[in-house]
Amino acid sequence: MNHPYKSELLVNLKAHYHDRGWRSITYFDAKRDEILFVLPETDDVTKVLNNLYAVLGTLPEINHPKERVVISFCYENGDSYCSRLINPNKQDEINLALIGYRPERKIRPEELQELQ
C-alpha cells in the first residue's frame, strides 16, 4: 500500500458519506495527493466543504504516519470545485508564507470521466 494514511482516510470518508450517492476519485500518484468527491447538483458543495473539519473530527483515528492530502468537492461538470488541504507539508507552509494563499486548482471535466 503506497499511501496507507490517505487510503484509510478515503475508506473512513466513504463510510461517512456512504448514503449520499457521491462518487470518489483519487489522485494519489499524480502528486496532487487528492481525494475528490463528485456530488450531484442537488447538494450544496460550499456547505459540505465548510462542514469538512467537523466530519474529520468524527472519523476513527488513523494509525499510520500522517500524509499531506487535499480533500475536494465538485459537481459532475467540474463546477463549484473547492478543496481543503489536510496535513500541509513544509513546502505548503513556505508557499503560504510567501504568497499568502495556496494556489487553487481548476478541475477539467475529462478528469471526472469514469475510467474505462
Side-chain angles (χ1 to χ4, degrees):
M1 185 184 313
N2 291 337
H3 303 281
Y5 180 90
K6 286 183 267 209
S7 296
E8 190 169 333
L9 178 60
L10 175 62
V11 167
N12 292 342
L13 286 169
K14 286 173 85 170
H16 180 81
Y17 294 132
H18 78 281
D19 61 349
R20 301 194 180 173
W22 297 0
R23 192 165 50 99
S24 64
I25 302 171
T26 59
Y27 299 102
F28 295 165
D29 296 326
K31 297 188 181 190
R32 284 186 246 161
D33 302 321
E34 183 175 20
I35 297 171
L36 171 63
F37 286 98
V38 181
L39 285 61
E41 290 195 25
T42 55
D43 290 357
D44 183 343
V45 170
T46 303
K47 184 177 177 182
V48 172
L49 181 73
N50 290 338
N51 193 42
L52 179 61
Y53 290 128
V55 168
L56 292 173
T58 67
L59 299 179
E61 199 65 34
I62 297 175
N63 294 319
H64 298 289
K66 290 184 178 179
E67 296 178 78
R68 174 191 193 274
V69 62
V70 174
I71 301 173
S72 53
F73 305 91
C74 72
Y75 294 126
E76 285 288 339
N77 61 3
D79 286 350
S80 298
Y81 176 86
C82 54
S83 64
R84 287 276 193 278
L85 176 63
I86 310 299
N87 303 325
N89 61 25
K90 290 291 181 198
Q91 187 61 50
D92 293 321
E93 293 171 2
I94 291 168
N95 290 346
L96 184 61
L98 290 176
I99 61 176
Y101 63 91
R102 186 173 62 86
E104 286 298 316
R105 171 168 117 71
K106 296 284 186 192
I107 194 83
R108 295 183 322 262
E110 58 268 19
E111 292 180 79
L112 302 175
Q113 301 306 310
E114 293 290 337
L115 298 175
Q116 301 299 325

